[in-house]
Amino acid sequence: MFEKRYLVLEDGSHYTGFKLGSDKLTRGEIVFNTAMTGYQETISDPSYTGQIITFTYPLIGNYGINRDDFESLTPSLNGVVVKEACTMPSNFRAQKSFDDVLKEYDIPGISGVDTRSITKKIRQHGVLKAAFVDDPSEIETTVTALKTAEFPRTEVPTVSTKTPYVSTGFDLHVVLVDFGKKQNIVRELNSRGCEVTVVPYNTSADAIIKMAPDGVMLSNGPGDPDDVTVALDMINGILGRIPFFGICLGHQLFALSQGAKSFKMKFGHRGANHPVKDLATGKIALTSQNHGYAIDADSVAETDLEITHIALNDGTVEGLKHRKLPAFSVQYHPEACPGPTDSNYLFDQFVEMMQQNKQKERVTHA
């Protein structure tokens, strides 16, 4: 339980702590998450595929893990870094400890390190490559290897569903294109009576149209949107024909399909406490976020898109809508889990858009 483990960063620094989770030793991009709760949903969010998460909240695991709060069936992150890992959780829903679940899914971690120092380093230098080491004699060679390491850029194909499947509802029909979806997107749609057909990331516009949906959603997902350009033709094939809503990576791909550009952020937005301003109403919402790329605001001016929301912390683009077509997107996570539900109304907005479009079609065909 108190075996030594080392976290090595590409800048040559390393942190000494204790082994947590799997014996497997991995490498990945190290990022930080500022949420105070929701560690189960965080480690099972496919948007973290291939990354090592540093939790800034100092105690992780105190309320355990349960079977209901996973956002994906199989977590796909490459590791976790915590100040203190609770080994004896106390909660009536708890079924396993944080360490148990990390071992079950073969995810390595480290505890007992200065997560504040790591977070400050990432904020100063930007995201860094990192690795876990159990043998201190391997630290120097690991630093050298990290400096030239290239990680696979196939995150979306790895986590997207391979075959379509349906989550039943009784009213509107939504096709959810899965780039690495969180399960709570499906839950939110189902709770509003929507039947949801989840399809692979590379599904064509023709295939989606044949499903006769009332709306199309593009999910969140990991990685660089420029690595998923296969989706751009699909987006342009449905815009104007079917109401559209994009979340996170789906938001970025929506912007790229209309000619906007994306860029890699210095350290990204990851947490459950990010303030976002609605430019139409002036209202501020606290939002759940997880992204390392953003849309270039200047590039939006050359498109048919309009910026609807901005991040108050750094002024980056957080929401877009098409000026002429029933389509909008947000960079943050209105489905929350973890995080506040301030933006949950966006699902109602999408449902209303679908209903209005459906009524328009009835009138047209009458």
Side-chain angles (χ1 to χ4, degrees), residues 223-241:
D224 185 343
D226 282 330
D227 292 336
V228 204
T229 53
V230 65
L232 303 188
D233 285 342
M234 176 270 290
I235 296 170
N236 283 316
I238 61 175
L239 284 178
R241 304 177 70 172

Side-chain angles (χ1 to χ4, degrees), residues 87-130:
T87 56
M88 297 180 67
S90 177
N91 186 281
F92 74 98
R93 298 176 70 218
Q95 295 167 312
K96 297 178 181 178
S97 73
F98 186 62
D99 185 54
D100 289 339
V101 167
L102 294 181
K103 286 185 171 75
E104 180 179 347
Y105 291 103
D106 207 19
I107 300 166
I110 187 172
S111 66
V113 298
D114 186 350
T115 52
R116 181 184 291 270
S117 169
I118 297 168
T119 301
K120 289 175 69 175
K121 187 183 292 286
I122 296 170
R123 284 184 59 87
Q124 180 180 354
H125 300 290
V127 291
L128 297 163
K129 289 175 279 189

Side-chain angles (χ1 to χ4, degrees), residues 250-261 295 303 305 320 329:
H251 156 85
Q252 296 164 2
L253 292 171
F254 172 47
L256 264 57
S257 74
Q258 302 307 293
K261 305 294 182 184
I295 296 301
T303 72
L305 302 177
L320 295 166
S329 65

Side-chain angles (χ1 to χ4, degrees), residues 3-299:
E3 294 178 64
K4 288 283 185 71
R5 175 164 282 174
Y6 306 89
L7 175 71
V8 181
L9 306 184
E10 66 173 307
D11 69 349
S13 61
H14 72 273
Y15 296 80
T16 304
F18 302 106
K19 183 184 294 184
L20 181 67
S22 170
D23 290 331
K24 179 180 179 181
L25 298 175
T26 58
R27 300 175 181 180
E29 181 182 73
I30 190 166
V31 299
F32 64 86
N33 180 290
T34 56
M36 296 175 68
T37 60
Y39 53 79
Q40 178 175 346
E41 295 93 332
T42 297
I43 65 170
S44 58
D45 179 352
S47 294
Y48 283 108
T49 298
Q51 293 181 325
I52 297 171
I53 306 173
T54 301
F55 286 95
T56 62
Y57 191 71
L59 176 62
I60 299 297
N62 54 316
Y63 55 85
I65 301 285
N66 65 78
R67 67 182 180 183
D68 298 322
D69 291 342
F70 285 101
E71 289 297 321
S72 62
L73 291 175
T74 305
S76 51
L77 73 165
N78 273 17
V80 296
V81 180
V82 303
K83 171 64 176 174
E84 180 181 350
C86 177
T87 56
M88 297 180 67
S90 177
N91 186 281
F92 74 98
R93 298 176 70 218
Q95 295 167 312
K96 297 178 181 178
S97 73
F98 186 62
D99 185 54
D100 289 339
V101 167
L102 294 181
K103 286 185 171 75
E104 180 179 347
Y105 291 103
D106 207 19
I107 300 166
I110 187 172
S111 66
V113 298
D114 186 350
T115 52
R116 181 184 291 270
S117 169
I118 297 168
T119 301
K120 289 175 69 175
K121 187 183 292 286
I122 296 170
R123 284 184 59 87
Q124 180 180 354
H125 300 290
V127 291
L128 297 163
K129 289 175 279 189
F132 295 109
V133 171
D134 286 344
D135 183 349
S137 68
E138 297 177 359
I139 290 175
E140 283 191 29
T141 56
T142 299
V143 170
T144 302
L146 284 174
K147 288 179 178 178
T148 57
E150 294 290 337
F151 300 132
R153 299 173 69 97
T154 56
E155 300 98 333
V156 169
T158 299
V159 295
S160 176
T161 184
K162 303 301 184 286
T163 57
Y165 64 93
V166 177
S167 181
T168 57
F170 55 83
D171 191 7
L172 298 165
H173 177 210
V174 176
V175 167
L176 174 61
V177 185
D178 179 13
F179 297 99
K181 66 161 181 61
K182 289 171 63 183
Q183 185 59 27
N184 209 46
I185 296 176
V186 178
R187 296 187 192 110
E188 290 292 342
L189 291 168
N190 285 162
S191 72
R192 290 163 172 80
C194 296
E195 178 174 283
V196 181
T197 301
V198 182
V199 300
Y201 76 99
N202 55 357
T203 304
S204 69
D206 287 344
I208 291 173
I209 290 167
K210 287 176 182 176
M211 297 177 191
D214 297 301
V216 173
M217 283 196 70
L218 265 60
S219 82
N220 61 293
D224 185 343
D226 282 330
D227 292 336
V228 204
T229 53
V230 65
L232 303 188
D233 285 342
M234 176 270 290
I235 296 170
N236 283 316
I238 61 175
L239 284 178
R241 304 177 70 172
I242 308 170
F244 173 94
F245 180 17
I247 292 175
C248 201
L249 180 59
H251 156 85
Q252 296 164 2
L253 292 171
F254 172 47
L256 264 57
S257 74
Q258 302 307 293
K261 305 294 182 184
S262 66
F263 66 94
K264 186 175 177 64
M265 305 172 79
K266 185 175 181 180
F267 49 81
H269 296 171
R270 297 177 179 89
N273 41 22
H274 290 259
V276 166
K277 182 177 182 178
D278 184 327
L279 297 180
T281 66
K283 291 184 177 180
I284 310 300
L286 287 180
T287 66
S288 175
Q289 300 202 12
N290 178 15
H291 60 100
Y293 292 80
I295 296 301
D296 179 357
D298 292 337
S299 72

